[in-house]
Amino acid sequence: MFREKIQQNYDDLTPSFRKLADFMLQNQLDAAFMTATELANRLGVDAATVVRFAQELGYTGFRELSKEIQAVVRAELKASYTADLEAADDLQLFRSLLGNEKHNLELTQDRLSEQVNALLPTLLDANQIWVVGQGLCVYLAGLCAGALREIGLSAVSVATDPLEAATNLKEIGQDDLVIGFSLSGMDLDTASAVRFARERGARTFVLAASSVAAAALEAETSIICPGPTQTNVPSFTGLAAMIVVMIAAFAARHPDEAHAMTEETRESYRALLEMQMDIASDLDVEDLWRRF
């Protein structure tokens, strides 16, 4: 299938071909129904480049590649999960909805592309990591920043409103990294913060529920974590899972750094507990109550 062919040839692709490959892997629904000319205009390449790209992968031309992408899209749409919102009791409803979240995780796994290979090295090399999000993604940003600190990385979550973002990101540069979270696609403040950082040379990654979310379109690299539901409540299962996976992957690739940070945290915790005990032993509780 086209995904496997792209992944097998990815390292040998030219920059223009890689641009096409990344788009098709992360935006296959869009790519499936675009002509070679439309795709070329979208990515700023020649239509002939699109045709040569298809031939590089072993297809006779773009038409054959397009038909295969369309077939994959149709098959995945048919296989989409449908939760039973009319279940007889809450137990069955919960199980059905959990099935939907399991399906969302599978979609997230399927949408991963070679671009994710750049994430861990960028985390390791970053001087400072800023994590941004708005709405529900504020909490995901906070969770992500906290988890990154647990493995020894300098990370902080910041609000995306213009004043707060300007205050925190005013000195951002090429040694820094901005990670954005996008759930609704209407997160214009997050998109602005990502663009601001990218224009100043910082690396930018966005984890988004959709490839056409404003923040995803502004980022240097976007990782798509689909979250379709049958209710009005958006699913952030894929986004939350990616935080866990990112931290676990970093610890697996860089065990010494992760272990050192864990030991430092333990030592700091012991020291704080000892201080707490000393302070408590010096307190005269009866006198304290009389004073207040």
Side-chain angles (χ1 to χ4, degrees):
M1 303 298 280
F2 78 96
R3 288 173 181 156
E4 288 73 20
K5 291 180 179 179
I6 288 176
Q7 291 170 351
Q8 290 169 4
N9 293 278
Y10 192 86
D11 290 341
D12 298 323
L13 297 178
T14 65
S16 294
F17 283 179
R18 284 196 180 189
K19 185 184 294 187
L20 286 161
D22 291 338
F23 182 84
M24 289 182 180
L25 287 173
Q26 297 206 25
N27 306 275
Q28 63 181 32
L29 185 58
D30 296 327
F33 302 101
M34 297 174 72
T35 66
T37 301
E38 289 172 339
L39 185 57
N41 291 338
R42 175 75 173 268
L43 297 181
V45 299
D46 294 331
T49 301
V50 178
V51 176
R52 289 197 300 272
F53 169 73
Q55 294 171 340
E56 179 75 12
L57 297 180
Y59 299 95
T60 57
F62 179 72
R63 184 184 298 275
E64 184 181 4
L65 171 57
S66 179
K67 286 182 177 179
E68 184 172 297
I69 299 175
Q70 290 172 18
V72 170
V73 168
R74 290 191 182 100
E76 291 183 350
L77 289 175
K78 289 180 180 178
S80 62
Y81 186 89
T82 301
D84 182 10
L85 301 183
E86 303 297 329
D89 58 29
D90 288 349
L91 174 60
Q92 295 303 317
L93 177 61
F94 272 58
R95 284 177 173 169
S96 182
L97 291 172
L98 282 171
N100 186 79
E101 297 312 311
K102 179 181 178 181
H103 178 67
N104 286 341
L105 287 176
E106 292 172 348
L107 290 176
T108 298
Q109 186 179 47
D110 289 342
R111 292 294 297 272
L112 286 180
S113 72
E114 294 288 339
Q115 286 186 312
V116 79
N117 287 330
L119 181 54
L120 297 186
T122 304
L123 287 173
L124 185 63
D125 293 341
N127 179 57
Q128 177 65 44
I129 302 170
W130 307 93
V131 193
V132 297
Q134 62 188 103
L136 286 175
C137 287
V138 167
Y139 308 105
L140 289 174
L143 175 63
C144 181
L148 290 171
R149 289 195 296 272
E150 286 292 319
I151 55 172
L153 300 176
S154 180
V156 62
S157 63
V158 297
T160 56
D161 68 85
L163 181 57
E164 188 73 13
T167 300
N168 284 284
L169 303 179
K170 62 180 182 295
E171 296 181 358
I172 198 167
Q174 62 182 7
D175 294 327
D176 300 320
L177 166 65
V178 167
I179 299 175
F181 284 86
S182 170
L183 182 60
S184 69
M186 298 181 288
D187 42 10
L188 299 183
D189 284 347
T190 301
S192 296
V194 171
R195 177 189 287 186
F196 181 90
R198 188 175 183 182
E199 289 180 350
R200 280 154 182 76
R203 300 294 300 274
T204 54
F205 277 84
V206 164
L207 283 71
S210 170
S211 59
V212 295
L217 294 174
E218 293 294 344
E220 175 185 0
T221 304
S222 57
I223 298 173
I224 307 305
C225 308
T229 67
Q230 295 167 252
T231 68
N232 291 323
V233 179
S235 169
F236 50 82
T237 296
L239 296 174
M242 279 301 300
I243 296 174
V244 177
V245 170
M246 177 170 57
I247 301 305
F250 187 92
R253 293 296 193 212
H254 307 286
D256 293 339
E257 289 86 345
H259 178 72
M261 182 56 185
T262 300
E263 287 301 311
E264 290 175 5
T265 300
R266 288 175 180 169
E267 289 301 319
S268 298
Y269 185 59
R270 291 192 190 100
L272 286 169
L273 286 180
E274 291 174 1
M275 291 179 186
Q276 188 181 64
M277 292 175 63
D278 290 341
I279 293 171
S281 65
D282 293 338
L283 285 178
D284 184 333
V285 178
E286 294 297 330
D287 181 60
L288 190 63
W289 275 106
R290 286 195 296 271
R291 290 176 181 273
F292 287 92

